[in-house]
Amino acid sequence: MVCEADALNRVFLEIGSIQIYWYGVIIAAGLFLGLYLATKEAERLTLHKDLIVDLIVFAAPIAIIFARIYYVIFEWDRYANGPFWKVFAIWEGGIAIHGALIGAVLTAIIYARIKKQSFWQLADIIAPSLILGQAIGRWGNFINQEAHGGPISTNTYESFHQYLPDFIMNQMCIEGIMYHPTFLYESLWNIAVFAALLLIRKYNPIRGHMFMYYLIMYSVGRFFIEGMRTDSLINAGLKQAQLFSVILIVGSIVVMIYRIKKRKVTVRYDGSKI
């Protein structure tokens, strides 16, 4: 579908020579909203909110670093010929959520051991905040015109135009071609997962399962949406995100079954005995 539209300005604010990008503002908004919800839930479970705040203070920057490292490794051809500082140009986009998950989980495991807390309890509390933050963060991709799908047909364009606001349609018009807004598909899926996790939480699941449900549900959606994207990270001819999604789905199910059969867990989400 051929189109014509002006892209939104990626700069949120300019102060002299300093530019603050929408991408960073949106990521920060998702982080702070997620932090707020997690601290409220920690207090409801009679945990001190500083336990969550301190975890996020450590985990957030490490997760972003891992997300960038993950992305650069699989897109090294883009950076191999320099300039070298582009490796650090995160404001231009280019972070991978799976890298962020690796960094965040490793940080949380170490943090839980140091604080003598249950990693699974912390992971369960934070799970809804993670997926909500991801839903918000996808709008950073929207501003940067990245993480989109392939070109859409004229018929699809007409259907979209009935339901999507003009600012989304215009932003998905890139160099004269209209693309599938896969950032939007994933954002909506993540919101649905967020709602599902809140519902599951009401039924007081086994400790650790909230986090596993998050990994499974997010990965299912990501697997199918990734199949539509045109800017995927590729490893050995396979889309890296799809491969990682399958690993997370299978791994989470195996861990859940193992913990139940081996009686590795004796409490539920709220700490009550099984």
Side-chain angles (χ1 to χ4, degrees), residues 24 33 163 169 249:
L33 179 56
Y163 302 104
M169 299 295 291
I249 293 168

Side-chain angles (χ1 to χ4, degrees), residues 210-222:
M210 275 280 290
F211 184 63
M212 294 292 137
Y213 290 139
Y214 152 69
L215 292 178
I216 292 170
M217 288 188 288
Y218 167 67
S219 297
V220 168
R222 180 62 186 270

Side-chain angles (χ1 to χ4, degrees), residues 45-213:
L45 296 176
T46 68
L47 293 176
H48 200 288
K49 68 177 183 179
D50 285 351
L51 190 66
I52 300 298
V53 173
D54 290 346
L55 171 57
I56 299 301
V57 166
F58 289 113
I62 292 175
I64 292 173
I65 291 170
F66 269 71
R68 184 61 175 175
I69 291 173
Y70 186 100
Y71 180 85
V72 170
I73 287 174
F74 290 105
E75 285 285 281
W76 181 244
D77 288 345
R78 294 180 56 181
Y79 303 98
N81 296 322
F84 183 71
W85 66 267
K86 283 283 189 179
V87 169
F88 306 99
I90 195 171
W91 56 87
E92 294 182 355
I95 58 176
I97 185 59
H98 288 133
L101 274 174
I102 293 170
V105 168
L106 290 175
T107 304
I109 290 172
I110 296 171
Y111 178 84
R113 289 188 177 183
I114 293 174
K115 293 291 185 177
K116 294 180 172 53
Q117 296 289 327
S118 165
F119 161 76
W120 294 113
Q121 183 181 34
L122 296 178
D124 280 350
I125 291 172
I126 292 174
S129 295
L130 284 174
I131 197 66
L132 182 60
Q134 289 171 238
I136 295 171
R138 277 301 172 199
W139 288 85
N141 298 133
F142 164 71
I143 295 293
N144 281 357
Q145 295 182 307
E146 59 189 5
H148 58 73
I152 65 175
S153 66
T154 301
N155 289 338
T156 302
Y157 173 83
E158 295 299 331
S159 298
F160 280 1
H161 202 267
Q162 295 181 41
Y163 302 104
L164 296 180
D166 288 341
F167 79 94
I168 291 180
M169 299 295 291
N170 292 340
Q171 192 70 357
M172 285 297 97
C173 177
I174 305 171
E175 296 181 354
I177 299 175
M178 182 67 66
Y179 292 93
H180 273 280
T182 46
F183 86 91
L184 178 61
Y185 306 158
E186 187 168 332
S187 182
L188 292 175
W189 174 258
N190 290 347
I191 290 172
V193 173
F194 171 72
L197 288 177
L198 295 185
L199 180 62
I200 291 169
R201 193 167 71 185
K202 288 185 176 181
Y203 290 91
N204 200 21
I206 293 173
R207 178 171 288 178
H209 282 201
M210 275 280 290
F211 184 63
M212 294 292 137
Y213 290 139

